[in-house]
Amino acid sequence: MKIVVQKFGGTSVSTDENRKQVIEKVRNAIKEGYNPVVVVSAMGRKGEPYATDTLLSLIDDKFKNTNKLAQDLLMCCGETISSVVMSSDLYRAGIDTMPLNGGQAGIITDNNFTDAACIEVKPKKILELVSQGRVPVITGFQGISESGYLTTLGRGGSDTTASILGVALKASSIEIYTDVDGIMTADPRIVENANLIDVISYNEVFQLADKGATVIHPKAVEIAMEGNIPILIKNTMSNSKGTLINNFGDKDKERIMTGITSQKNRIQVSVKASENEGNIKYRNVLDLVAANKISLDLINIFPSEQIFTINQKDKDVLVKILNNAKLKYNLIEDCSKVAVIGSKMKGIPGVMAKIIKALSDNCIEVLQTADSHMTIWCLVHAKNEKDAINVLHKTFKL
Ligand code: ADP
Ligand code: MG
């Protein structure tokens, strides 16, 4: 059995016309001697009738937040509709199919509703169907808890389903079909002349995905990497060869930088020693924030001040705890964190200097920076985000 997992995103399954292209991709896989296992997302994007956000808008916010089990039951509907509709289209095209939800496909999760983790896969049903020459069409993004409740795997979780199944079924590859030609050097919605990356390593793509590129979910990359199953990102609407993700990346290319991405809705918080003299809580600011489950990054500690960033959604809680501790602080809201990623930048001198120069030459204020072996971050005002990405894209000739 030569299994290929083919995952189709929301736009790919949203219209009759697009689903015709999906049928072609499934048919081609069969022609090439593969047994396709299809995974689908909910149809369409925010605002469209069966998209997950639309379904969520049908219920009371407070009910939703206090009844995660109910929220999951509702969120499973989008993919359920999609898997049955896609199966029906494939059936009409003469391909023998069977829609399955996450539980029926054997994806067993913990009961951390809305962000459940897969704890076991029982692929018996899928393998049975495949051995009968049928194409299972599986709902992405969902599983079942050991006690029988429907669960979801976190937003973007259909990619995760594809990787979970790819590994469990020892697939030849996991194909992620979407609305762009593959992984580009930057989001093509932000950089018009972004280029397609032919081959990229799991590690680099994980960094890109984890730091903002929505084209694939970071958890999906991690799972495929652990199982050593190659991922291909392709365009449902074209025959572009796409991007191959594997362990090695592109050994032949001498590029220092691979891609640029960004995250919006960051707030920079600074707490100065001079403004908090005599307040013993000053030394434990980070502890205080972390104890309230606020996640921090870009943390810089100096003798004179402590600086970090948080997500906009955590602002109210942060303000409350700092005020309760009688700490004085300063916030810069509406920031974006731009990340430049490249596995070969390690040890190359002058990369940070080049970034700072390029941004300041273009009158873009850099509020903070940080770096790790593969990534350099710059915090900028959100109004400069698009310019900053375009300037850096040009500077590094991506
Ligand atoms: P799907 O519904 O198919 O999962 P997504 O919206 O989740 O689609 O992901 C595809 C989108 O990711 C593209 O439309 C593109 O705008 C965006 N994107 C962000 N960064 C990148 C990148 N580096 N390369 C390609 N696409 C990117
Ligand atoms: Mg997606």
Side-chain angles (χ1 to χ4, degrees), residues 7-12 41 45 159 176-180 182-189 208 212-216 260-261:
K7 179 254 166 178
F8 297 92
T11 38
S12 307
S41 295
R45 289 234 165 94
D159 295 337
I176 307 274
Y177 285 93
T178 183
D179 59 357
V180 283
I183 305 214
M184 322 277 285
T185 47
D187 186 340
R189 282 187 267 198
L208 270 173
T214 50
V215 62
I216 184 167
I260 305 181
T261 183

Side-chain angles (χ1 to χ4, degrees), residues 195-206:
N195 289 308
L196 181 68
I197 300 171
D198 297 332
V199 189
I200 186 169
S201 68
Y202 292 114
N203 280 325
E204 283 179 302
V205 98
F206 178 85

Side-chain angles (χ1 to χ4, degrees), residues 213-266:
T214 50
V215 62
I216 184 167
H217 197 285
K219 216 189 272 177
V221 180
E222 214 168 35
I223 293 167
M225 178 169 152
E226 274 164 24
N228 199 18
I229 310 284
I231 305 178
L232 275 151
I233 312 269
K234 291 184 162 199
N235 194 338
T236 310
M237 306 309 288
S238 80
N239 286 321
S240 144
K241 64 182 179 353
T243 301
L244 170 66
I245 309 173
N246 63 18
N247 260 318
F248 323 104
D250 201 340
K251 284 198 216 144
D252 303 333
K253 279 230 169 85
E254 272 312 308
R255 63 179 177 221
I256 300 176
M257 294 302 178
T258 306
I260 305 181
T261 183
S262 64
Q263 280 168 322
K264 295 184 194 309
N265 297 325
R266 307 303 302 174

Side-chain angles (χ1 to χ4, degrees), residues 204 256-259 340-346 373-375:
E204 283 179 302
I256 300 176
M257 294 302 178
T258 306
V340 186
I341 289 137
S343 58
K344 295 195 179 121
M345 74 162 102
K346 194 177 165 200
H373 67 292
M374 206 190 280
T375 308

